[in-house]
Amino acid sequence: MQLHPLLVPVVDVIFPPRCPLCGDGLAAQTGLCAQCWSELAIPGDPACASCRRPLGATLVEGTICPPCLASPPRHAGIAAATLYNDASRKLVLALKHGGRIALAPMLARLMAAQLPDMVGPDWIAVPVPLHRWRLWSRGFNQSVLLANELAALRGVQVGVDVLVRRKRTPMLGGLGRIARARALSGAFVIGKGWETRIKGAKVLLVDDVLTSGATTDACLAVLKRAGAERVMIACFARVLDEALEHV
């Protein structure tokens, strides 16, 4: 929700603008201080033509990274606002576990900046769903917040219930590839009423953090089986430790 311009000075007096990472004073309620902005790792070119993984500066445009060559992805690209480091981790934790939902517009603006121009009104933003028990305990799905903000920024449609998480899954950290796939098997289904509407659709799959890719791969498989034409992944932070040296 955006404040009326006349109310902004009043809010600033009651709640002086602070950087959500370090607490330093700011000129406005949105954004970070200059120092904290500089600590975000923003991926750029050159990057893998398939998954947008940052590559060394000596590589030519159109290069495909080794992981994509070994296992060509079924997605239409990954748009990551940042690479996962200490600064992006703090923002994600503040949003997801700290309840700082006012951070969602800023995070979504950074995500939107990485989306290609072709993503627009004929696309559907589909948030990665939470299981209902986790949703009830947290009170919100951070991926839905980001998808709604992206819709406002890029004009995409939002399908909050396109995907349904029908079973609880364990924490995937520390599990191997096979164990992750087994844990996510059958976890996602197409929501009621979307079975025909998703056929031929162009989908923007939205999540806050892309770690191993196991969860988005499971969602991608369900969307593709349902007939989605293209599926692009959008996230705020992407875990690629080896790529941090290239940004």
Side-chain angles (χ1 to χ4, degrees), residues 185-209:
S185 178
F188 302 101
V189 295
I190 297 295
K192 186 177 180 180
W194 284 98
E195 296 87 352
T196 57
R197 296 166 64 187
I198 208 66
K199 290 181 179 178
K202 290 178 279 191
V203 173
L204 187 66
L205 184 61
V206 180
D207 207 358
D208 56 341
V209 179

Short mmCIF file of all heavy atoms in Angstrom, two decimals, residues 185-209:
data_model
loop_
_atom_site.label_atom_id
_atom_site.label_comp_id
_atom_site.label_asym_id
_atom_site.label_seq_id
_atom_site.Cartn_x
_atom_site.Cartn_y
_atom_site.Cartn_z
N SER A 185 8.61 -35.00 -4.51
CA SER A 185 7.78 -35.77 -5.43
C SER A 185 6.30 -35.66 -5.03
O SER A 185 5.92 -35.98 -3.91
CB SER A 185 8.21 -37.24 -5.43
OG SER A 185 7.38 -38.01 -6.27
N GLY A 186 5.48 -35.20 -5.95
CA GLY A 186 4.05 -35.08 -5.70
C GLY A 186 3.65 -33.94 -4.79
O GLY A 186 2.48 -33.85 -4.39
N ALA A 187 4.61 -33.05 -4.47
CA ALA A 187 4.29 -31.97 -3.53
C ALA A 187 3.42 -30.89 -4.15
O ALA A 187 2.65 -30.23 -3.45
CB ALA A 187 5.59 -31.35 -2.99
N PHE A 188 3.53 -30.69 -5.46
CA PHE A 188 2.82 -29.60 -6.13
C PHE A 188 1.84 -30.13 -7.16
O PHE A 188 2.12 -31.10 -7.87
CB PHE A 188 3.81 -28.65 -6.81
CG PHE A 188 4.83 -28.05 -5.89
CD1 PHE A 188 6.12 -28.56 -5.82
CD2 PHE A 188 4.50 -26.98 -5.07
CE1 PHE A 188 7.06 -28.02 -4.97
CE2 PHE A 188 5.44 -26.43 -4.21
CZ PHE A 188 6.72 -26.94 -4.16
N VAL A 189 0.70 -29.45 -7.26
CA VAL A 189 -0.30 -29.76 -8.28
C VAL A 189 -0.86 -28.45 -8.81
O VAL A 189 -0.72 -27.39 -8.19
CB VAL A 189 -1.45 -30.64 -7.73
CG1 VAL A 189 -0.95 -32.01 -7.32
CG2 VAL A 189 -2.15 -29.94 -6.57
N ILE A 190 -1.50 -28.52 -9.97
CA ILE A 190 -2.16 -27.35 -10.53
C ILE A 190 -3.45 -27.10 -9.76
O ILE A 190 -4.23 -28.02 -9.48
CB ILE A 190 -2.48 -27.56 -12.03
CG1 ILE A 190 -1.18 -27.72 -12.82
CG2 ILE A 190 -3.29 -26.39 -12.58
CD1 ILE A 190 -0.29 -26.49 -12.83
N GLY A 191 -3.69 -25.85 -9.40
CA GLY A 191 -4.87 -25.49 -8.63
C GLY A 191 -6.16 -25.66 -9.41
O GLY A 191 -6.17 -25.58 -10.65
N LYS A 192 -7.22 -25.88 -8.69
CA LYS A 192 -8.53 -26.08 -9.30
C LYS A 192 -8.91 -24.87 -10.14
O LYS A 192 -8.80 -23.73 -9.70
CB LYS A 192 -9.57 -26.32 -8.21
CG LYS A 192 -10.94 -26.68 -8.74
CD LYS A 192 -11.91 -26.99 -7.59
CE LYS A 192 -13.29 -27.36 -8.12
NZ LYS A 192 -14.23 -27.65 -7.01
N GLY A 193 -9.37 -25.13 -11.35
CA GLY A 193 -9.78 -24.07 -12.25
C GLY A 193 -8.70 -23.59 -13.20
O GLY A 193 -8.98 -22.86 -14.14
N TRP A 194 -7.44 -24.00 -12.95
CA TRP A 194 -6.33 -23.56 -13.79
C TRP A 194 -5.90 -24.63 -14.79
O TRP A 194 -5.01 -24.37 -15.61
CB TRP A 194 -5.14 -23.17 -12.92
CG TRP A 194 -5.28 -21.85 -12.25
CD1 TRP A 194 -5.68 -21.61 -10.97
CD2 TRP A 194 -5.03 -20.57 -12.84
NE1 TRP A 194 -5.69 -20.27 -10.71
CE2 TRP A 194 -5.29 -19.60 -11.84
CE3 TRP A 194 -4.62 -20.14 -14.09
CZ2 TRP A 194 -5.16 -18.24 -12.06
CZ3 TRP A 194 -4.47 -18.78 -14.32
CH2 TRP A 194 -4.74 -17.83 -13.32
N GLU A 195 -6.49 -25.81 -14.74
CA GLU A 195 -6.02 -26.92 -15.57
C GLU A 195 -6.03 -26.58 -17.07
O GLU A 195 -5.09 -26.94 -17.79
CB GLU A 195 -6.87 -28.19 -15.32
CG GLU A 195 -6.78 -28.74 -13.92
CD GLU A 195 -7.78 -28.10 -12.96
OE1 GLU A 195 -8.45 -27.12 -13.35
OE2 GLU A 195 -7.90 -28.60 -11.83
N THR A 196 -7.05 -25.90 -17.52
CA THR A 196 -7.12 -25.54 -18.94
C THR A 196 -6.50 -24.18 -19.21
O THR A 196 -5.95 -23.94 -20.29
CB THR A 196 -8.59 -25.54 -19.42
OG1 THR A 196 -9.36 -24.65 -18.61
CG2 THR A 196 -9.18 -26.95 -19.31
N ARG A 197 -6.58 -23.28 -18.24
CA ARG A 197 -6.08 -21.92 -18.45
C ARG A 197 -4.57 -21.86 -18.54
O ARG A 197 -4.01 -20.92 -19.12
CB ARG A 197 -6.57 -21.01 -17.31
CG ARG A 197 -8.07 -20.85 -17.28
CD ARG A 197 -8.55 -20.23 -15.98
NE ARG A 197 -8.07 -18.88 -15.79
CZ ARG A 197 -8.23 -18.18 -14.67
NH1 ARG A 197 -8.85 -18.74 -13.64
NH2 ARG A 197 -7.77 -16.96 -14.58
N ILE A 198 -3.88 -22.85 -17.97
CA ILE A 198 -2.42 -22.80 -17.97
C ILE A 198 -1.85 -23.34 -19.29
O ILE A 198 -0.67 -23.12 -19.59
CB ILE A 198 -1.85 -23.59 -16.76
CG1 ILE A 198 -0.49 -23.03 -16.34
CG2 ILE A 198 -1.73 -25.09 -17.09
CD1 ILE A 198 -0.54 -21.63 -15.79
N LYS A 199 -2.67 -24.02 -20.08
CA LYS A 199 -2.20 -24.55 -21.36
C LYS A 199 -1.82 -23.40 -22.29
O LYS A 199 -2.61 -22.50 -22.53
CB LYS A 199 -3.27 -25.43 -21.99
CG LYS A 199 -3.50 -26.74 -21.27
CD LYS A 199 -4.55 -27.58 -21.97
CE LYS A 199 -4.76 -28.90 -21.23
NZ LYS A 199 -5.82 -29.72 -21.87
N GLY A 200 -0.61 -23.46 -22.81
CA GLY A 200 -0.12 -22.43 -23.72
C GLY A 200 0.28 -21.14 -23.04
O GLY A 200 0.64 -20.17 -23.72
N ALA A 201 0.24 -21.09 -21.73
CA ALA A 201 0.54 -19.84 -21.00
C ALA A 201 2.03 -19.61 -20.87
O ALA A 201 2.84 -20.55 -20.88
CB ALA A 201 -0.10 -19.88 -19.62
N LYS A 202 2.39 -18.34 -20.74
CA LYS A 202 3.76 -17.95 -20.43
C LYS A 202 3.80 -17.58 -18.95
O LYS A 202 3.08 -16.69 -18.51
CB LYS A 202 4.20 -16.78 -21.31
CG LYS A 202 4.40 -17.18 -22.77
CD LYS A 202 4.78 -16.02 -23.64
CE LYS A 202 3.58 -15.20 -24.02
NZ LYS A 202 3.89 -14.20 -25.08
N VAL A 203 4.64 -18.29 -18.20
CA VAL A 203 4.60 -18.23 -16.75
C VAL A 203 5.89 -17.65 -16.19
O VAL A 203 6.99 -18.03 -16.60
CB VAL A 203 4.36 -19.63 -16.14
CG1 VAL A 203 4.48 -19.60 -14.63
CG2 VAL A 203 2.99 -20.15 -16.55
N LEU A 204 5.74 -16.73 -15.24
CA LEU A 204 6.87 -16.22 -14.47
C LEU A 204 6.77 -16.84 -13.08
O LEU A 204 5.90 -16.48 -12.29
CB LEU A 204 6.81 -14.70 -14.39
CG LEU A 204 8.01 -13.99 -13.75
CD1 LEU A 204 9.25 -14.17 -14.61
CD2 LEU A 204 7.70 -12.51 -13.55
N LEU A 205 7.62 -17.82 -12.79
CA LEU A 205 7.60 -18.53 -11.51
C LEU A 205 8.40 -17.71 -10.50
O LEU A 205 9.60 -17.50 -10.67
CB LEU A 205 8.20 -19.92 -11.69
CG LEU A 205 8.18 -20.85 -10.48
CD1 LEU A 205 6.77 -21.13 -10.01
CD2 LEU A 205 8.91 -22.16 -10.82
N VAL A 206 7.74 -17.26 -9.43
CA VAL A 206 8.33 -16.29 -8.51
C VAL A 206 8.66 -16.94 -7.17
O VAL A 206 7.82 -17.60 -6.56
CB VAL A 206 7.36 -15.10 -8.28
CG1 VAL A 206 7.97 -14.09 -7.32
CG2 VAL A 206 7.00 -14.45 -9.61
N ASP A 207 9.89 -16.72 -6.70
CA ASP A 207 10.31 -17.18 -5.37
C ASP A 207 11.27 -16.16 -4.79
O ASP A 207 11.81 -15.31 -5.51
CB ASP A 207 10.98 -18.55 -5.46
CG ASP A 207 10.85 -19.35 -4.17
OD1 ASP A 207 10.28 -18.83 -3.19
OD2 ASP A 207 11.32 -20.50 -4.13
N ASP A 208 11.49 -16.23 -3.48
CA ASP A 208 12.41 -15.27 -2.86
C ASP A 208 13.85 -15.69 -3.05
O ASP A 208 14.70 -14.86 -3.41
CB ASP A 208 12.07 -15.08 -1.38
CG ASP A 208 12.08 -16.38 -0.60
OD1 ASP A 208 11.99 -17.46 -1.20
OD2 ASP A 208 12.18 -16.32 0.64
N VAL A 209 14.17 -16.97 -2.83
CA VAL A 209 15.54 -17.45 -2.95
C VAL A 209 15.58 -18.71 -3.80
O VAL A 209 14.75 -19.61 -3.63
CB VAL A 209 16.15 -17.77 -1.56
CG1 VAL A 209 17.57 -18.29 -1.70
CG2 VAL A 209 16.14 -16.53 -0.67
#
